Amino acid sequence: MTNKKDYYYDLPKHLIAQQPIAQRDGSRLMHLCRKTGEVQHKMFREIKSLLNPGDCLVINDSRVIPARLISDNGVEMLLHERIGTESPSKWTVLVKPGKKAREGDVLTFAGGRLKATVQEIIEDGLRIVCMEHDDDFEQILMEIGEMPLPHYIEEKQVDTARYNTVYAKHDGSVAAPTAGLHFTTELLEEIQAYGVKLATVTLHVGIGTFRPVKEDDITKHHMHSEYCRIEPEVAKIINDTKANGGRVIAIGTTSCRTIESRADENAPGMVKSGAGKTDIFIYPGYEFRVMDGLLTNFHLPESTLVMLVSAFASRKAILAAYEEAVRQEYRFFSYGDAMLIV
């Protein structure tokens, strides 16, 4: 199934979650059995009943930064990735409209507190810009930047803390690893007390999250690379879980892409520690090497995320589960409900 249209489904607009849920673990949870395709309906706070002592949850601790900036002349700039560690800093950015950010142009923000000089236009319309500022860059960003929310969220001033997981630690994402938004600190402590381990990885979510699949033949789609990291002690937790017969359950597609990118070719089922870029694109036909289960939200039609979950549970099972979610009026996308596939 390599045609984009094979991953389309009808979604009533009223099921698109517009606002944050009042309580993180107050969302609904669909359990999809990977073997049978059968579904169960639960509340998210009941997720422990679907876990076993000895399992391991892989969480992504990347934190979303207020990466959306509006220049003094109305140009929108979305920070993508910092280049190197030099000062003044250089970034790859996405700008709109592009005609106002040609090579050599200087964009000013907050009356000149921040200046961005366009040095080069690279692939996919991205720009390399050099930032100039008198004050601390991170502080300026916190003061004048906005959270880079998905287009379907109408309210743009969403609480910064609410668009990050309770375990977010390392700045660098332009979108939240949304499956983790359902957890409270208390629920995670309860799960750990039950005998389930946590393995913390990092993947900084890039602008590829906002990019639709434009090619009809999905094998021609190019994923933007993203930085990911697994520390040695974290790799040991994951590998010990596998060796002891436990299940490795990724919390979100970003955690999935991280562990699958770091799979050890010389030790089936295991991961290697290390850091680097990944542009892994997972769609049906992919053979999972590490992941045994996946917690995920309900994703956009024809998106790379729907393709990933279809690779794990089969396209037929996923589309059937999505149809059931529509019938049961589950909430979709970033602030929506969740599905656990095990």
Side-chain angles (χ1 to χ4, degrees):
M1 296 293 179
T2 59
N3 192 301
K4 179 176 70 173
K5 294 181 181 179
D6 292 328
Y7 303 91
Y8 176 80
Y9 66 91
D10 288 316
L11 176 64
K13 289 184 177 180
H14 74 280
L15 297 184
I16 299 175
Q18 290 288 338
Q19 298 298 330
I21 52 179
Q23 185 178 359
R24 287 180 182 266
D25 62 357
S27 51
R28 297 169 68 190
L29 176 67
M30 175 185 288
H31 169 218
L32 171 62
C33 178
R34 189 184 181 199
K35 291 182 178 179
T36 67
E38 295 180 355
V39 301
Q40 292 178 295
H41 304 288
K42 295 179 175 289
M43 295 301 293
F44 190 85
R45 63 178 65 95
E46 300 176 282
I47 189 173
K48 190 182 76 173
S49 67
L50 300 172
L51 305 175
N52 300 324
D55 286 345
C56 171
L57 302 185
V58 183
I59 59 177
N60 178 12
D61 68 356
S62 182
R63 185 193 302 275
V64 186
I65 61 174
R68 182 175 179 264
L69 298 165
I70 305 298
S71 74
D72 295 331
N73 64 339
V75 175
E76 178 180 339
M77 186 171 75
L78 180 65
L79 302 180
H80 177 224
E81 184 178 26
R82 182 165 182 164
I83 303 173
T85 58
E86 298 84 3
S87 182
S89 60
K90 291 184 179 181
W91 289 76
T92 57
V93 301
L94 186 67
V95 296
K96 186 172 65 174
K99 63 182 180 180
K100 290 190 176 182
R102 298 187 174 93
E103 289 186 13
D105 287 348
V106 179
L107 302 175
T108 64
F109 303 85
R113 287 187 65 194
L114 177 66
K115 296 180 181 179
T117 301
V118 181
Q119 294 189 327
E120 185 180 354
I121 299 175
I122 56 178
E123 63 178 357
D124 295 330
L126 290 169
R127 271 76 170 159
I128 296 178
V129 301
C130 180
M131 300 292 193
E132 297 178 54
H133 44 87
D134 294 329
D135 301 322
D136 179 73
F137 177 74
E138 284 71 24
Q139 182 60 39
I140 295 175
L141 198 61
M142 290 300 296
E143 293 178 11
I144 70 173
E146 300 176 5
M147 298 300 282
L149 299 172
H151 65 87
Y152 50 80
I153 296 181
E154 295 175 358
E155 175 56 61
K156 295 305 179 185
Q157 297 301 322
V158 172
D159 178 23
T160 299
R162 188 58 190 85
Y163 197 54
N164 274 300
T165 62
V166 295
Y167 46 77
K169 182 178 181 181
H170 298 291
D171 289 347
S173 283
V174 299
T178 54
L181 292 176
H182 301 281
F183 288 101
T184 62
T185 301
E186 293 75 18
L187 181 57
L188 285 172
E189 290 174 349
E190 181 182 338
I191 288 171
Q192 288 178 281
Y194 180 59
V196 176
K197 292 188 171 81
L198 298 184
T200 304
V201 302
T202 302
L203 182 141
H204 292 319
V205 186
I207 61 173
T209 296
F210 301 104
R211 298 263 179 166
V213 177
K214 295 182 179 179
E215 301 282 354
D216 289 334
D217 181 354
I218 65 174
T219 63
K220 297 180 180 178
H221 178 71
H222 171 67
M223 295 284 286
H224 280 281
S225 62
E226 297 164 311
Y227 172 83
C228 64
R229 180 179 67 245
I230 299 180
E231 299 291 352
E233 61 272 21
V234 174
K236 186 177 187 306
I237 293 172
I238 295 171
N239 293 339
D240 286 350
T241 299
K242 301 289 283 192
N244 295 329
R247 300 175 299 178
V248 173
I249 300 171
I251 305 304
T253 57
T254 61
S255 297
C256 164
R257 295 178 68 241
T258 301
I259 60 177
E260 290 296 316
S261 295
R262 300 299 304 171
D264 191 336
E265 301 86 355
N266 300 315
M270 305 297 180
V271 298
K272 299 179 295 185
S273 62
K277 297 291 188 67
T278 179
D279 61 357
I280 188 172
F281 179 21
I282 298 175
Y283 54 88
Y286 178 84
E287 294 186 9
F288 287 84
R289 297 175 287 177
V290 181
M291 187 174 75
D292 302 304
L294 174 66
L295 177 73
T296 182
N297 283 19
F298 294 92
H299 303 293
L300 284 163
E302 299 181 341
S303 65
T304 60
L305 304 178
V306 166
M307 295 166 194
L308 186 154
V309 295
S310 295
F312 188 60
S314 87
R315 171 182 167 273
K316 180 179 179 181
I318 287 298
L319 292 182
Y322 272 48
E323 289 176 3
E324 173 68 3
V326 170
R327 284 193 295 271
Q328 297 293 332
E329 297 205 329
Y330 276 68
R331 298 177 308 166
F332 281 61
F333 309 159
S334 293
Y335 285 129
D337 295 310
M339 175 167 61
L340 178 65
I341 307 170
V342 287

